[in-house]
Amino acid sequence: MLEDLNFLHSSLDNQVCTKPSIHLVLADYHTSGTVKDYLEKAFPVEVLNFKDATHYWQEFKAPEGLFLVIIDGNFAGIELIAKLKQKNLAFKTILITDMPRPGDHLELSRPISYDRLKVLVENIFGTSVKRPEQQSFGGLIGDSTLMQEVFSKIKNAGPRPILISGPAGSGKSSVAEAINKNISGHTINCGHLSPGLLENEMFGPDDGKLGQGGVVYFKDIDKLPLLSQAKLIKHLKNQSVDAVKIVASTRKDLIDFSNAGDFRKDLLNLFGAKIILPSLEDREGDLELLITHFNEKYSAIHGCEGIRIDESALSLLREYEWPENVRELENLIEKLVILHTGSLIETHHLLDKFFKGQILESTPYQLPETGIDLRQLLRDIEDSLIKQALDKTGGNKNRASKLLQINRTTLVEKLKKRKRELNNQVP
C-alpha cells in the first residue's frame, strides 16, 4: 500500500520543467532504461525514472502543465494513478499491461512497440514534441522505423539506377517523385504501352526520353519486354556518366522473375539502391500521421472543413489489413472529407469491410435469461427495415430494394409472403 504522504510540496515553484515531462514507473530496470533512452533520443522531453510507485509518490514534484506517466499496470500502479487524479493535475497515463483495464488511460502491451509509443507520445503532447523534418521527405509521409529506412536510402541512393519495389498502392510513384524533385523527369509506363510504343518512348526521335537527360522513371519495369531490356542495358553502358538517371518500380519479385528467365539478370545487377516499400499494415504508427495529412490535403483541395475520427472508428482502421495500402487510405479519407465535412467520424460512417473479423462488444438486443425466439426476432427486424425503406421511398419498391441492397423481385416475394402469413392468421 502506498504511503499517504503530502502530495504538493512548498518548493513546487522551483521545480518547473521547461520541456514536456515524462515519468517512468517501471519495475523492470532494463525496460525502464531502454524506454528512457528511446524517448530522450526521439523527443525534446525530460524523462524522469522511478523504480516503483512508492518512490514516485515520495519523490514527486509536480511539473508545470501537462505531463505523462508511463507505469506498470499492476495494483500499485492503478492505485498511484487514482491518487494523482484526486489532485486534479493535468496528466495522461500509459499503462504497460497485458490485460486490458477499464479507465481513461492508454495502454501498451509487452514487448513494447516503440513505433506505437511514439504515436501515443505525439498525440498526447502535440506539436511541442513533434519534429516534422523526421516525419516527411520529399512529399512522403511516415514516422515508422521502416519509412525512416526508406528516407535514408533515398538520401544516399547515389548515381546508379534505383529500383523501387513494394505492393500495390504503397507509394512507389511517390518515391519516384521524391527522387525527381527539382530535376526534370520523364515517365515510361511499361504496363500500358505496346512493345513498339515502348521502343519509341525510349529511343524514338531525338533519342527518345532516354536522350533528354534528367530522370527517367520506368513504371512496372517487370513488364518491359526482354528485347527492350537488352537495348536499355546497352544504352546505359554506352552513355556518359550521369547523362540520365534511371528510376524503376515494380510490385513483383524481380529475383524470381530473373530466375524464371522473364527479367534479365544483367539489368537487375545494374541497379544500385534497392528501395523496398512496406505495406501500410507493417508501417506501425504511421496510420494516424497519414490520416492527418490526407485530412488536411483534401479539406484544402475541396475548400471545406476537415473531419475528426473517434477512438472506436480509429481502432477499426488500425486493425484493418489495408490490402490496397496507402492509396486505399487516401481514397477513404477524401470520401469522408467530402461526404461528412466537419463531422466526427464514428463506426457507422465506415464501410462493412472495416468490421471484418470484429467481435461486437455491444448489441441493441440483450439475451434474456429465459432465451429468445431468434427466428421471430430476425423476422421483426426484417419487417421493420422493409417498412422503413418503403416509407422513405413513398412505396416505390424499386428504390426501396436498392436501399436494402436486395433484388426487387426478392423484396416483392417477401411482401407477398408476409401478406399470406397475415391472411392465414386466425382472428
Side-chain angles (χ1 to χ4, degrees):
M1 183 69 65
L2 293 172
E3 296 178 26
D4 190 14
L5 297 177
N6 205 350
F7 187 81
L8 294 176
H9 297 261
S10 58
S11 58
L12 265 184
D13 292 340
N14 298 322
Q15 304 295 331
V16 173
C17 299
T18 57
K19 295 180 180 179
S21 184
I22 299 178
H23 303 168
L24 301 181
V25 191
L26 303 174
D28 186 284
Y29 178 80
H30 175 73
T31 300
S32 183
T34 303
V35 172
K36 185 177 188 294
D37 290 344
Y38 170 78
L39 290 171
E40 289 178 336
K41 290 177 181 177
F43 303 106
V45 296
E46 179 182 52
V47 183
L48 304 177
N49 223 337
F50 303 86
K51 68 178 183 178
D52 57 38
T54 299
H55 284 84
Y56 179 84
W57 189 256
Q58 292 172 343
E59 300 172 16
F60 180 81
K61 302 291 187 297
E64 185 178 73
L66 180 67
F67 64 98
L68 169 63
V69 180
I70 301 177
I71 190 169
D72 288 320
N74 51 26
F75 176 79
I78 299 297
E79 187 183 27
L80 172 61
I81 298 307
K83 285 181 174 264
L84 287 176
K85 287 181 177 179
Q86 292 175 4
K87 302 301 178 181
N88 295 320
L89 297 168
F91 75 100
K92 296 289 185 180
T93 308
I94 297 177
L95 287 187
I96 307 300
T97 178
D98 297 323
M99 180 183 300
R101 295 181 179 273
D104 58 356
H105 55 264
L106 300 165
E107 293 182 354
L108 276 176
S109 58
R110 296 181 179 87
I112 292 174
S113 164
Y114 289 97
D115 283 337
R116 179 69 182 142
L117 176 59
K118 177 183 284 188
V119 171
L120 294 180
V121 172
E122 289 176 346
N123 288 343
I124 289 168
F125 289 110
T127 57
S128 63
V129 297
K130 288 186 178 181
R131 292 171 174 163
E133 70 277 3
Q134 296 179 350
Q135 299 173 343
S136 64
F137 179 82
L140 296 165
I141 304 295
D143 203 23
S144 62
T145 301
L146 292 175
M147 286 306 294
Q148 292 299 313
E149 291 174 358
V150 169
F151 296 165
S152 178
K153 285 186 177 182
I154 294 173
K155 293 174 186 175
N156 301 302
R160 293 180 61 190
I162 299 170
L163 179 64
I164 309 162
S165 61
S170 57
K172 296 182 291 294
S173 294
S174 297
V175 172
E177 290 174 8
I179 295 170
N180 290 1
K181 198 171 184 180
N182 302 322
I183 307 174
S184 60
H186 314 280
T187 298
I188 298 177
N189 196 327
C190 303
H192 289 180
L193 299 174
S194 66
L197 288 175
L198 274 172
E199 295 273 334
N200 190 60
E201 285 278 285
M202 294 165 65
F203 310 108
D206 300 321
D207 292 326
K209 290 180 177 177
L210 287 171
Q212 297 177 27
V215 176
V216 178
Y217 171 43
F218 285 84
K219 185 175 182 179
D220 295 326
I221 197 170
D222 51 280
K223 296 177 181 176
L224 188 66
L226 288 170
L227 180 59
S228 298
Q229 292 179 32
K231 292 182 178 180
L232 176 59
I233 293 169
K234 182 178 179 181
H235 177 89
L236 293 175
K237 289 182 175 179
N238 292 335
Q239 76 169 7
S240 59
V241 178
D242 296 336
V244 63
K245 186 175 185 66
I246 300 296
V247 178
S249 70
T250 179
R251 67 181 71 174
K252 306 295 185 181
D253 186 333
L254 290 189
I255 294 177
D256 287 347
F257 263 51
S258 178
N259 292 336
D262 297 322
F263 197 86
R264 293 183 62 106
K265 289 185 179 180
D266 45 357
L267 177 55
L268 183 58
N269 291 335
L270 284 178
F271 288 101
K274 294 182 174 67
I275 299 171
I276 301 174
L277 278 175
S279 66
L280 179 54
E281 187 181 17
D282 292 335
R283 293 173 55 177
E284 189 169 5
D286 280 352
L287 184 73
E288 290 90 338
L289 199 62
L290 288 164
I291 288 173
T292 299
H293 170 70
F294 293 136
N295 189 21
E296 293 174 352
K297 173 181 177 180
Y298 287 107
S299 60
I301 288 175
H302 298 292
C304 60
E305 189 178 348
I307 56 171
R308 294 165 294 126
I309 302 180
D310 80 352
E311 187 58 35
S312 296
L314 189 58
S315 179
L316 286 179
L317 298 182
R318 288 193 195 106
E319 294 175 19
Y320 182 59
E321 294 179 352
W322 299 105
E324 297 175 40
N325 294 290
V326 178
R327 183 191 301 135
E328 185 177 6
L329 175 62
E330 181 171 5
N331 291 339
L332 170 68
I333 300 303
E334 182 178 17
K335 288 177 182 177
L336 291 175
V337 167
I338 294 171
L339 297 175
H340 306 288
T341 297
S343 297
L344 176 67
I345 301 303
E346 299 176 300
T347 55
H348 68 270
H349 291 105
L350 301 177
L351 298 175
D352 289 344
K353 66 180 181 180
F354 294 106
F355 293 85
K356 183 179 179 182
Q358 297 295 317
I359 299 175
L360 297 179
E361 296 181 354
S362 61
T363 67
Y365 300 99
Q366 296 297 322
L367 182 65
E369 292 295 329
T370 56
I372 196 170
D373 186 338
L374 182 60
R375 290 188 181 87
Q376 183 61 50
L377 175 62
L378 294 177
R379 186 159 56 242
D380 291 344
I381 294 172
E382 183 178 274
D383 288 349
S384 174
L385 292 174
I386 289 174
K387 183 179 184 303
Q388 291 177 56
L390 290 170
D391 288 344
K392 282 180 178 292
T393 60
N396 187 307
K397 295 182 180 65
N398 188 46
R399 289 167 56 200
S401 64
K402 289 181 179 178
L403 283 178
L404 296 167
Q405 298 183 25
I406 59 176
N407 293 329
R408 184 182 185 280
T409 53
T410 302
L411 175 59
V412 170
E413 286 302 316
K414 287 181 179 295
L415 291 171
K416 287 180 179 178
K417 180 181 178 182
R418 189 63 180 136
K419 186 176 181 180
R420 287 195 300 269
E421 290 173 350
L422 290 172
N423 290 336
N424 291 334
Q425 289 180 356
V426 178

